[in-house]
Amino acid sequence: MSGSAFLGNAEELAAQIPDGALLALPPDYSLVAMEVVRALIRKKARGLRLLGVPILGLSADLLIGAGCVAEVETSAVSLGEAGLAPRFTDAVEKKSLLVRDATCPAIHCALQAAEKGVPFMPLAGIGGSDLVKERKDWKVQGDVVLVPAIRPDVALFHARWADEAGNVWVGRRRELATVAHASRLNLVTFEEKKPGDMLDDELLAPGVISSIYISALAHAPRGAWPLGMPGLYGADDLHVSQYAKAARTREGFLKYLEEWILTPRKSTSPA
Amino acid sequence: MDSYAPEEHLACVIARLLEGARHAAVGASSPIPAVGCFLRKNIDPAFRVSLQQRRESNPFTEGSRELFDLAGQGRIDVFFLGGAQIDGEGAINLVRAEGKRFPGSFGSAYMYGVVPRTILFREEHSRRTLVPKVEFASARGAPAALLTGRALFSWQKDKRRFRLESVHPGNTLAQIRERTGFEFDSSDQVPETAAPSTAELEAIRKKVKPEIAANYPEFAARVWPNS
């Protein structure tokens, strides 16, 4: 595909993500395309390999609990103030989920290597960690560790704006630019469509990811809910903490899925 | 004497540990270190504090990797780390212990190695959290201090061993030994951790609280319920 294609909705974007894909997702504070995450659960995605850029939160916990995920590479999975990610924790303790533990700067390095098209990137300072012993793919060379490039099959995220040229604006969340440069396919939902081309605007251009990288787009207003979109709406902390409580048990989690994800009329933000 | 929440006291201890620091970064889920940092900034306006997960006005414009790039260059001199387990050699474990899974190492493996002043902080002070040896070392390094909900330890670089500096009100040396899973040094008479001053408490409640409420709403509602 050359340039970006506008699709009808989040469901159509989710349909672009094949089972078994290496799927890169941002943390809860960095523009998660939650509407597509819910659509992945509805379409019964299977065998996904998630990459946390560099950590994961609610999106991963939902996908893991719903049985969509085979393995995870991440520096952490956490619901922030709402505590541990309950379905992730349960799956790991029951040995039904494979985790490749990493540390944040190693994941950033691996994606930077991919965006530059080089095989690895050196990282200093982590020599004392047992992660280095566990990660046979990381090569110790003197004081640095060589972290191999990671090229995700798909990166999925949410943007404030898309324009007619297919560019998207993510502002200061530049880890999304790095992962977009590194990934084969980039799928993006957006809050609002802007007329024209944001690259013609000196003030907007620095926050833009060019359409060169964007494979497909879909309009999803409040598409990050119950997470936030800085400058537009905040995270729904009460909802996330209610999820954290409900998902402590498998039954509570399934009830949440039924109420908020599988039942279409309730599957989007109440606002 | 003023009444205060234990969290306010711990934040005051952190602010005192930050004397002479230029720039502290605060990572995921660390509201008490954040209160301590903003209190320090109140005393020393030149002191910079960067909240990694700040919701609005996030200090990083190159995404989350910028924190690590800054640290790698030596532009951050203080960072805070906790752990499901912390051991007597200063190693921390954020991954797994006793069959339980924890969130993961975050950036700790790197930050502990490159930031000159790492303050270890964990409210729970028990043999479960303070262990002789961690099951998995997310990160190893030389901490500046270990602060818990019951005591403050310094780190003796030459001996690679903690030394008990003070106990918080209501704790004794014998109780701390009982509740600590690793061996540590101390004098026979360990002083009590100095209580917050009226000025410190006033700064926390008038100046720091709004900053914290915006980024750690649940914490703020718990510690300052009537505001």
Side-chain angles (χ1 to χ4, degrees):
Chain A
M1 194 181 320
S2 76
S4 36
F6 283 91
L7 302 181
N9 55 35
E11 313 285 335
E12 289 179 34
L13 274 192
Q16 305 284 312
I17 303 173
D19 284 354
L22 177 60
L23 174 63
L25 293 171
D28 286 355
Y29 55 82
S30 185
L31 311 186
V32 186
M34 287 301 294
E35 200 54 55
V36 181
V37 168
R38 287 185 282 268
L40 279 169
I41 293 171
R42 284 193 288 270
K43 84 155 189 153
K44 297 190 166 47
R46 289 295 176 264
L48 295 175
R49 294 170 294 138
L50 303 185
L51 175 70
V53 184
I55 64 168
L56 293 164
L58 180 66
S59 58
D61 205 58
L62 285 167
L63 289 167
I64 291 165
C68 306
V69 181
E71 63 176 76
V72 171
E73 174 166 1
T74 189
S75 308
V77 185
S78 160
L79 298 183
E81 271 209 290
L84 294 176
R87 292 296 96 205
F88 162 76
T89 308
D90 186 67
V92 179
E93 289 173 1
K94 290 192 171 131
K95 299 187 174 18
S96 62
L97 179 73
L98 187 71
V99 184
R100 280 143 62 86
D101 271 291
T103 183
C104 304
I107 290 180
H108 291 305
C109 280
L111 293 170
Q112 286 181 284
E115 74 176 344
K116 291 176 201 305
V118 296
F120 58 79
M121 190 71 80
L123 178 64
I126 66 170
S129 171
D130 286 349
L131 289 169
V132 178
K133 289 184 211 158
E134 217 168 74
R135 292 296 302 256
K136 302 297 179 200
D137 56 328
W138 295 357
K139 303 292 179 213
V140 180
Q141 197 152 61
D143 291 339
V144 301
V145 172
L146 305 182
V147 180
I150 299 177
R151 192 158 185 226
D153 297 320
V154 184
L156 171 67
F157 53 92
H158 189 58
R160 177 73 171 84
W161 293 296
D163 65 21
E164 285 172 345
N167 304 305
V168 298
W169 190 92
V170 296
R172 73 189 88 197
R173 296 306 349 168
R174 300 303 294 175
E175 58 272 78
L176 298 176
T178 304
V179 73
H181 301 166
S183 298
R184 292 184 176 88
L185 199 71
N186 287 291
L187 305 176
V188 185
T189 52
F190 58 92
E191 290 288 335
E192 292 170 89
K193 192 153 175 189
K194 268 193 180 297
D197 185 333
M198 288 186 283
L199 293 177
D200 294 336
D201 184 324
E202 281 304 316
L203 299 184
L204 287 181
V208 165
I209 301 174
S210 155
S211 62
I212 296 167
Y213 305 101
I214 309 301
S215 317
L217 295 145
H219 184 214
R222 292 187 70 86
W225 177 87
L227 305 173
M229 166 58 77
L232 195 59
Y233 52 89
D236 187 343
D237 296 315
L238 182 63
H239 185 94
V240 176
S241 81
Q242 283 168 347
Y243 167 79
K245 284 188 193 86
R248 278 181 201 158
T249 64
R250 175 96 196 127
E251 297 68 36
F253 174 77
L254 292 174
K255 200 163 161 256
Y256 176 92
L257 274 195
E258 196 54 45
E259 183 171 2
W260 293 100
I261 295 181
L262 302 176
T263 308
R265 70 187 163 83
K266 280 193 176 176
S267 69
T268 51
S269 152
Chain B
M1 198 173 80
D2 301 296
S3 71
Y4 52 85
E7 291 88 349
E8 292 176 316
H9 189 197
L10 293 172
C12 291
V13 177
I14 286 171
R16 295 169 201 154
L17 289 171
L18 293 173
E19 200 178 330
R22 294 168 298 130
H23 182 189
V26 181
S29 314
S30 305
I32 292 173
V35 175
C37 285
F38 284 112
L39 178 58
R40 181 76 218 158
K41 189 164 176 55
N42 207 255
I43 298 160
D44 172 11
F47 175 70
R48 182 184 281 270
V49 44
S50 297
L51 292 189
Q52 187 188 4
Q53 294 185 18
R54 196 183 178 102
R55 292 176 169 198
E56 303 282 339
S57 311
N58 190 289
F60 302 118
T61 55
E62 283 297 328
S64 57
R65 80 155 192 260
E66 189 176 357
L67 167 71
F68 305 105
D69 292 350
L70 279 171
Q73 298 170 51
R75 290 179 190 266
I76 291 172
D77 52 8
V78 183
F79 197 65
F80 301 90
L81 291 172
Q85 294 180 323
I86 298 171
D87 75 19
E89 293 174 9
I92 62 163
N93 174 8
L94 292 155
V95 172
R96 54 176 175 260
E98 296 174 336
K100 294 234 180 302
R101 172 71 207 201
F102 297 98
S105 301
F106 293 92
S108 68
Y110 178 78
M111 297 300 272
Y112 209 168
V114 301
V115 175
R117 208 189 295 192
T118 296
I119 297 172
L120 300 180
F121 175 66
R122 176 78 208 233
E123 278 178 277
E124 181 179 335
H125 186 138
S126 69
R127 286 181 173 260
R128 193 175 76 105
T129 55
L130 305 180
V131 299
K133 196 160 177 56
V134 291
E135 276 184 54
F136 180 93
S138 288
R140 289 189 176 88
L146 164 61
L147 176 64
T148 75
R150 296 182 177 276
L152 173 66
F153 297 86
S154 60
W155 177 250
Q156 307 168 104
K157 259 188 193 153
D158 45 340
K159 295 162 116 179
R160 290 202 62 78
R161 220 172 128 88
F162 286 107
R163 181 176 190 279
L164 183 63
E165 291 294 329
S166 67
V167 297
H168 309 340
N171 295 278
T172 65
L173 170 59
Q175 286 168 336
I176 295 298
R177 285 214 186 279
E178 180 57 37
R179 289 172 176 274
T180 307
F182 55 73
E183 291 185 5
F184 57 86
D185 296 336
S186 80
S187 62
D188 295 335
Q189 295 293 318
V190 179
E192 189 164 276
T193 311
S197 68
T198 304
E200 283 172 325
L201 287 174
E202 192 176 298
I204 287 177
R205 292 167 189 173
K206 293 208 170 125
K207 307 271 178 60
V208 176
K209 193 167 69 179
E211 283 279 0
I212 296 302
N215 293 290
Y216 303 97
E218 286 192 19
F219 172 84
R222 179 160 55 79
V223 176
W224 303 295
N226 301 317
S227 55

PDB file of all heavy atoms in Angstrom, chain B residues 94-121:
ATOM      1  N   LEU B  94      11.670  -6.228  40.639  1.00  0.00           N
ATOM      2  CA  LEU B  94      10.335  -5.767  40.240  1.00  0.00           C
ATOM      3  C   LEU B  94       9.624  -6.801  39.373  1.00  0.00           C
ATOM      4  O   LEU B  94       8.609  -6.493  38.765  1.00  0.00           O
ATOM      5  CB  LEU B  94      10.468  -4.459  39.443  1.00  0.00           C
ATOM      6  CG  LEU B  94      10.951  -3.235  40.218  1.00  0.00           C
ATOM      7  CD1 LEU B  94      11.625  -2.228  39.297  1.00  0.00           C
ATOM      8  CD2 LEU B  94       9.789  -2.573  40.920  1.00  0.00           C
ATOM      9  N   VAL B  95      10.191  -8.012  39.295  1.00  0.00           N
ATOM     10  CA  VAL B  95       9.680  -8.981  38.319  1.00  0.00           C
ATOM     11  C   VAL B  95       8.903 -10.121  38.961  1.00  0.00           C
ATOM     12  O   VAL B  95       7.728 -10.326  38.655  1.00  0.00           O
ATOM     13  CB  VAL B  95      10.826  -9.505  37.431  1.00  0.00           C
ATOM     14  CG1 VAL B  95      10.354 -10.665  36.542  1.00  0.00           C
ATOM     15  CG2 VAL B  95      11.354  -8.379  36.546  1.00  0.00           C
ATOM     16  N   ARG B  96       9.539 -10.927  39.810  1.00  0.00           N
ATOM     17  CA  ARG B  96       8.825 -12.082  40.372  1.00  0.00           C
ATOM     18  C   ARG B  96       9.438 -12.486  41.699  1.00  0.00           C
ATOM     19  O   ARG B  96      10.644 -12.387  41.893  1.00  0.00           O
ATOM     20  CB  ARG B  96       8.858 -13.260  39.389  1.00  0.00           C
ATOM     21  CG  ARG B  96      10.256 -13.643  38.952  1.00  0.00           C
ATOM     22  CD  ARG B  96      10.263 -14.889  38.059  1.00  0.00           C
ATOM     23  NE  ARG B  96      11.624 -15.114  37.590  1.00  0.00           N
ATOM     24  CZ  ARG B  96      12.065 -14.771  36.382  1.00  0.00           C
ATOM     25  NH1 ARG B  96      11.261 -14.195  35.523  1.00  0.00           N
ATOM     26  NH2 ARG B  96      13.314 -14.998  36.052  1.00  0.00           N
ATOM     27  N   ALA B  97       8.580 -12.980  42.601  1.00  0.00           N
ATOM     28  CA  ALA B  97       9.031 -13.461  43.901  1.00  0.00           C
ATOM     29  C   ALA B  97       7.979 -14.382  44.476  1.00  0.00           C
ATOM     30  O   ALA B  97       6.777 -14.091  44.403  1.00  0.00           O
ATOM     31  CB  ALA B  97       9.271 -12.291  44.857  1.00  0.00           C
ATOM     32  N   GLU B  98       8.430 -15.488  45.033  1.00  0.00           N
ATOM     33  CA  GLU B  98       7.555 -16.466  45.693  1.00  0.00           C
ATOM     34  C   GLU B  98       6.349 -16.823  44.836  1.00  0.00           C
ATOM     35  O   GLU B  98       5.212 -16.868  45.318  1.00  0.00           O
ATOM     36  CB  GLU B  98       7.110 -15.926  47.058  1.00  0.00           C
ATOM     37  CG  GLU B  98       8.293 -15.746  48.000  1.00  0.00           C
ATOM     38  CD  GLU B  98       7.918 -15.083  49.320  1.00  0.00           C
ATOM     39  OE1 GLU B  98       6.901 -14.354  49.374  1.00  0.00           O
ATOM     40  OE2 GLU B  98       8.645 -15.311  50.290  1.00  0.00           O
ATOM     41  N   GLY B  99       6.595 -17.081  43.560  1.00  0.00           N
ATOM     42  CA  GLY B  99       5.521 -17.495  42.662  1.00  0.00           C
ATOM     43  C   GLY B  99       4.614 -16.374  42.192  1.00  0.00           C
ATOM     44  O   GLY B  99       3.705 -16.591  41.398  1.00  0.00           O
ATOM     45  N   LYS B 100       4.839 -15.171  42.688  1.00  0.00           N
ATOM     46  CA  LYS B 100       4.006 -14.035  42.291  1.00  0.00           C
ATOM     47  C   LYS B 100       4.696 -13.229  41.194  1.00  0.00           C
ATOM     48  O   LYS B 100       5.910 -13.073  41.185  1.00  0.00           O
ATOM     49  CB  LYS B 100       3.778 -13.106  43.485  1.00  0.00           C
ATOM     50  CG  LYS B 100       2.969 -13.721  44.601  1.00  0.00           C
ATOM     51  CD  LYS B 100       1.792 -12.817  44.935  1.00  0.00           C
ATOM     52  CE  LYS B 100       0.923 -13.353  46.043  1.00  0.00           C
ATOM     53  NZ  LYS B 100       0.365 -14.675  45.765  1.00  0.00           N
ATOM     54  N   ARG B 101       3.885 -12.719  40.285  1.00  0.00           N
ATOM     55  CA  ARG B 101       4.394 -11.879  39.215  1.00  0.00           C
ATOM     56  C   ARG B 101       4.144 -10.406  39.557  1.00  0.00           C
ATOM     57  O   ARG B 101       3.051 -10.043  40.010  1.00  0.00           O
ATOM     58  CB  ARG B 101       3.696 -12.235  37.899  1.00  0.00           C
ATOM     59  CG  ARG B 101       3.997 -11.300  36.736  1.00  0.00           C
ATOM     60  CD  ARG B 101       5.411 -11.435  36.206  1.00  0.00           C
ATOM     61  NE  ARG B 101       5.840 -10.171  35.604  1.00  0.00           N
ATOM     62  CZ  ARG B 101       6.823 -10.072  34.723  1.00  0.00           C
ATOM     63  NH1 ARG B 101       7.495 -11.125  34.326  1.00  0.00           N
ATOM     64  NH2 ARG B 101       7.172  -8.880  34.243  1.00  0.00           N
ATOM     65  N   PHE B 102       5.156  -9.565  39.344  1.00  0.00           N
ATOM     66  CA  PHE B 102       5.030  -8.124  39.542  1.00  0.00           C
ATOM     67  C   PHE B 102       5.113  -7.428  38.175  1.00  0.00           C
ATOM     68  O   PHE B 102       5.363  -8.093  37.173  1.00  0.00           O
ATOM     69  CB  PHE B 102       6.080  -7.654  40.544  1.00  0.00           C
ATOM     70  CG  PHE B 102       5.862  -8.288  41.883  1.00  0.00           C
ATOM     71  CD1 PHE B 102       6.576  -9.410  42.279  1.00  0.00           C
ATOM     72  CD2 PHE B 102       4.858  -7.824  42.717  1.00  0.00           C
ATOM     73  CE1 PHE B 102       6.322 -10.040  43.488  1.00  0.00           C
ATOM     74  CE2 PHE B 102       4.590  -8.453  43.930  1.00  0.00           C
ATOM     75  CZ  PHE B 102       5.323  -9.552  44.314  1.00  0.00           C
ATOM     76  N   PRO B 103       4.903  -6.095  38.127  1.00  0.00           N
ATOM     77  CA  PRO B 103       4.747  -5.467  36.805  1.00  0.00           C
ATOM     78  C   PRO B 103       5.932  -5.659  35.850  1.00  0.00           C
ATOM     79  O   PRO B 103       5.743  -5.820  34.657  1.00  0.00           O
ATOM     80  CB  PRO B 103       4.562  -3.987  37.143  1.00  0.00           C
ATOM     81  CG  PRO B 103       3.952  -3.984  38.500  1.00  0.00           C
ATOM     82  CD  PRO B 103       4.581  -5.150  39.217  1.00  0.00           C
ATOM     83  N   GLY B 104       7.168  -5.616  36.363  1.00  0.00           N
ATOM     84  CA  GLY B 104       8.322  -5.685  35.478  1.00  0.00           C
ATOM     85  C   GLY B 104       9.331  -4.613  35.855  1.00  0.00           C
ATOM     86  O   GLY B 104       9.066  -3.773  36.730  1.00  0.00           O
ATOM     87  N   SER B 105      10.456  -4.626  35.179  1.00  0.00           N
ATOM     88  CA  SER B 105      11.602  -3.819  35.629  1.00  0.00           C
ATOM     89  C   SER B 105      11.509  -2.338  35.271  1.00  0.00           C
ATOM     90  O   SER B 105      12.315  -1.535  35.739  1.00  0.00           O
ATOM     91  CB  SER B 105      12.888  -4.395  35.044  1.00  0.00           C
ATOM     92  OG  SER B 105      13.047  -5.736  35.466  1.00  0.00           O
ATOM     93  N   PHE B 106      10.560  -1.947  34.414  1.00  0.00           N
ATOM     94  CA  PHE B 106      10.505  -0.562  33.906  1.00  0.00           C
ATOM     95  C   PHE B 106      11.911  -0.152  33.440  1.00  0.00           C
ATOM     96  O   PHE B 106      12.623  -0.982  32.880  1.00  0.00           O
ATOM     97  CB  PHE B 106       9.963   0.404  34.978  1.00  0.00           C
ATOM     98  CG  PHE B 106       8.515   0.191  35.337  1.00  0.00           C
ATOM     99  CD1 PHE B 106       8.148  -0.636  36.386  1.00  0.00           C
ATOM    100  CD2 PHE B 106       7.502   0.822  34.624  1.00  0.00           C
ATOM    101  CE1 PHE B 106       6.800  -0.825  36.713  1.00  0.00           C
ATOM    102  CE2 PHE B 106       6.166   0.632  34.944  1.00  0.00           C
ATOM    103  CZ  PHE B 106       5.823  -0.179  35.998  1.00  0.00           C
ATOM    104  N   GLY B 107      12.308   1.090  33.743  1.00  0.00           N
ATOM    105  CA  GLY B 107      13.645   1.542  33.328  1.00  0.00           C
ATOM    106  C   GLY B 107      14.716   1.313  34.376  1.00  0.00           C
ATOM    107  O   GLY B 107      15.851   1.779  34.230  1.00  0.00           O
ATOM    108  N   SER B 108      14.361   0.572  35.445  1.00  0.00           N
ATOM    109  CA  SER B 108      15.269   0.497  36.598  1.00  0.00           C
ATOM    110  C   SER B 108      16.640  -0.061  36.254  1.00  0.00           C
ATOM    111  O   SER B 108      17.658   0.422  36.768  1.00  0.00           O
ATOM    112  CB  SER B 108      14.642  -0.354  37.708  1.00  0.00           C
ATOM    113  OG  SER B 108      14.552  -1.721  37.309  1.00  0.00           O
ATOM    114  N   ALA B 109      16.699  -1.071  35.374  1.00  0.00           N
ATOM    115  CA  ALA B 109      17.969  -1.739  35.064  1.00  0.00           C
ATOM    116  C   ALA B 109      18.996  -0.709  34.604  1.00  0.00           C
ATOM    117  O   ALA B 109      20.190  -0.836  34.872  1.00  0.00           O
ATOM    118  CB  ALA B 109      17.745  -2.788  33.976  1.00  0.00           C
ATOM    119  N   TYR B 110      18.491   0.309  33.930  1.00  0.00           N
ATOM    120  CA  TYR B 110      19.352   1.342  33.349  1.00  0.00           C
ATOM    121  C   TYR B 110      19.568   2.514  34.310  1.00  0.00           C
ATOM    122  O   TYR B 110      20.694   2.945  34.549  1.00  0.00           O
ATOM    123  CB  TYR B 110      18.680   1.827  32.072  1.00  0.00           C
ATOM    124  CG  TYR B 110      19.384   2.929  31.339  1.00  0.00           C
ATOM    125  CD1 TYR B 110      20.487   2.663  30.540  1.00  0.00           C
ATOM    126  CD2 TYR B 110      18.911   4.236  31.409  1.00  0.00           C
ATOM    127  CE1 TYR B 110      21.107   3.677  29.826  1.00  0.00           C
ATOM    128  CE2 TYR B 110      19.528   5.254  30.702  1.00  0.00           C
ATOM    129  CZ  TYR B 110      20.627   4.969  29.913  1.00  0.00           C
ATOM    130  OH  TYR B 110      21.241   5.977  29.218  1.00  0.00           O
ATOM    131  N   MET B 111      18.464   2.997  34.882  1.00  0.00           N
ATOM    132  CA  MET B 111      18.558   4.209  35.707  1.00  0.00           C
ATOM    133  C   MET B 111      19.468   3.987  36.918  1.00  0.00           C
ATOM    134  O   MET B 111      20.240   4.870  37.307  1.00  0.00           O
ATOM    135  CB  MET B 111      17.163   4.663  36.156  1.00  0.00           C
ATOM    136  CG  MET B 111      16.246   5.065  35.014  1.00  0.00           C
ATOM    137  SD  MET B 111      16.868   6.443  34.028  1.00  0.00           S
ATOM    138  CE  MET B 111      16.196   7.855  34.934  1.00  0.00           C
ATOM    139  N   TYR B 112      19.372   2.791  37.520  1.00  0.00           N
ATOM    140  CA  TYR B 112      20.205   2.496  38.703  1.00  0.00           C
ATOM    141  C   TYR B 112      21.690   2.560  38.320  1.00  0.00           C
ATOM    142  O   TYR B 112      22.538   2.972  39.107  1.00  0.00           O
ATOM    143  CB  TYR B 112      19.854   1.099  39.230  1.00  0.00           C
ATOM    144  CG  TYR B 112      20.036   0.873  40.720  1.00  0.00           C
ATOM    145  CD1 TYR B 112      19.498  -0.272  41.319  1.00  0.00           C
ATOM    146  CD2 TYR B 112      20.703   1.780  41.530  1.00  0.00           C
ATOM    147  CE1 TYR B 112      19.624  -0.518  42.676  1.00  0.00           C
ATOM    148  CE2 TYR B 112      20.838   1.535  42.900  1.00  0.00           C
ATOM    149  CZ  TYR B 112      20.298   0.395  43.464  1.00  0.00           C
ATOM    150  OH  TYR B 112      20.433   0.157  44.809  1.00  0.00           O
ATOM    151  N   GLY B 113      21.990   2.151  37.084  1.00  0.00           N
ATOM    152  CA  GLY B 113      23.381   2.127  36.631  1.00  0.00           C
ATOM    153  C   GLY B 113      23.932   3.491  36.235  1.00  0.00           C
ATOM    154  O   GLY B 113      25.135   3.711  36.321  1.00  0.00           O
ATOM    155  N   VAL B 114      23.064   4.395  35.773  1.00  0.00           N
ATOM    156  CA  VAL B 114      23.600   5.648  35.220  1.00  0.00           C
ATOM    157  C   VAL B 114      23.315   6.900  36.060  1.00  0.00           C
ATOM    158  O   VAL B 114      24.015   7.904  35.907  1.00  0.00           O
ATOM    159  CB  VAL B 114      23.114   5.895  33.763  1.00  0.00           C
ATOM    160  CG1 VAL B 114      23.547   4.746  32.850  1.00  0.00           C
ATOM    161  CG2 VAL B 114      21.622   6.101  33.689  1.00  0.00           C
ATOM    162  N   VAL B 115      22.299   6.872  36.913  1.00  0.00           N
ATOM    163  CA  VAL B 115      21.974   8.076  37.700  1.00  0.00           C
ATOM    164  C   VAL B 115      22.815   8.070  38.983  1.00  0.00           C
ATOM    165  O   VAL B 115      22.824   7.064  39.704  1.00  0.00           O
ATOM    166  CB  VAL B 115      20.464   8.134  38.031  1.00  0.00           C
ATOM    167  CG1 VAL B 115      20.160   9.312  38.949  1.00  0.00           C
ATOM    168  CG2 VAL B 115      19.640   8.241  36.752  1.00  0.00           C
ATOM    169  N   PRO B 116      23.545   9.156  39.270  1.00  0.00           N
ATOM    170  CA  PRO B 116      24.458   9.103  40.411  1.00  0.00           C
ATOM    171  C   PRO B 116      23.789   8.925  41.782  1.00  0.00           C
ATOM    172  O   PRO B 116      24.371   8.318  42.669  1.00  0.00           O
ATOM    173  CB  PRO B 116      25.208  10.447  40.349  1.00  0.00           C
ATOM    174  CG  PRO B 116      24.476  11.279  39.364  1.00  0.00           C
ATOM    175  CD  PRO B 116      23.699  10.377  38.480  1.00  0.00           C
ATOM    176  N   ARG B 117      22.592   9.465  41.967  1.00  0.00           N
ATOM    177  CA  ARG B 117      21.976   9.388  43.290  1.00  0.00           C
ATOM    178  C   ARG B 117      20.625   8.679  43.181  1.00  0.00           C
ATOM    179  O   ARG B 117      19.625   9.299  42.806  1.00  0.00           O
ATOM    180  CB  ARG B 117      21.769  10.811  43.838  1.00  0.00           C
ATOM    181  CG  ARG B 117      21.790  10.864  45.353  1.00  0.00           C
ATOM    182  CD  ARG B 117      21.363  12.209  45.916  1.00  0.00           C
ATOM    183  NE  ARG B 117      22.205  13.356  45.627  1.00  0.00           N
ATOM    184  CZ  ARG B 117      22.072  14.534  46.236  1.00  0.00           C
ATOM    185  NH1 ARG B 117      21.166  14.707  47.177  1.00  0.00           N
ATOM    186  NH2 ARG B 117      22.838  15.548  45.912  1.00  0.00           N
ATOM    187  N   THR B 118      20.593   7.389  43.472  1.00  0.00           N
ATOM    188  CA  THR B 118      19.337   6.651  43.435  1.00  0.00           C
ATOM    189  C   THR B 118      18.835   6.461  44.862  1.00  0.00           C
ATOM    190  O   THR B 118      19.562   5.941  45.717  1.00  0.00           O
ATOM    191  CB  THR B 118      19.519   5.274  42.772  1.00  0.00           C
ATOM    192  OG1 THR B 118      19.895   5.464  41.415  1.00  0.00           O
ATOM    193  CG2 THR B 118      18.231   4.467  42.819  1.00  0.00           C
ATOM    194  N   ILE B 119      17.615   6.899  45.109  1.00  0.00           N
ATOM    195  CA  ILE B 119      17.001   6.728  46.428  1.00  0.00           C
ATOM    196  C   ILE B 119      16.028   5.559  46.341  1.00  0.00           C
ATOM    197  O   ILE B 119      15.108   5.573  45.520  1.00  0.00           O
ATOM    198  CB  ILE B 119      16.290   8.023  46.877  1.00  0.00           C
ATOM    199  CG1 ILE B 119      17.337   9.148  47.033  1.00  0.00           C
ATOM    200  CG2 ILE B 119      15.515   7.797  48.175  1.00  0.00           C
ATOM    201  CD1 ILE B 119      16.747  10.519  47.285  1.00  0.00           C
ATOM    202  N   LEU B 120      16.287   4.523  47.158  1.00  0.00           N
ATOM    203  CA  LEU B 120      15.369   3.386  47.206  1.00  0.00           C
ATOM    204  C   LEU B 120      14.252   3.720  48.171  1.00  0.00           C
ATOM    205  O   LEU B 120      14.504   4.210  49.285  1.00  0.00           O
ATOM    206  CB  LEU B 120      16.099   2.120  47.666  1.00  0.00           C
ATOM    207  CG  LEU B 120      17.259   1.659  46.782  1.00  0.00           C
ATOM    208  CD1 LEU B 120      17.902   0.395  47.360  1.00  0.00           C
ATOM    209  CD2 LEU B 120      16.812   1.419  45.358  1.00  0.00           C
ATOM    210  N   PHE B 121      13.021   3.460  47.734  1.00  0.00           N
ATOM    211  CA  PHE B 121      11.874   3.837  48.555  1.00  0.00           C
ATOM    212  C   PHE B 121      10.826   2.740  48.507  1.00  0.00           C
ATOM    213  O   PHE B 121      10.414   2.306  47.434  1.00  0.00           O
ATOM    214  CB  PHE B 121      11.273   5.150  48.047  1.00  0.00           C
ATOM    215  CG  PHE B 121      10.007   5.539  48.761  1.00  0.00           C
ATOM    216  CD1 PHE B 121      10.038   5.883  50.104  1.00  0.00           C
ATOM    217  CD2 PHE B 121       8.791   5.540  48.101  1.00  0.00           C
ATOM    218  CE1 PHE B 121       8.871   6.216  50.780  1.00  0.00           C
ATOM    219  CE2 PHE B 121       7.613   5.875  48.760  1.00  0.00           C
ATOM    220  CZ  PHE B 121       7.659   6.220  50.099  1.00  0.00           C
TER     221      PHE B 121
END
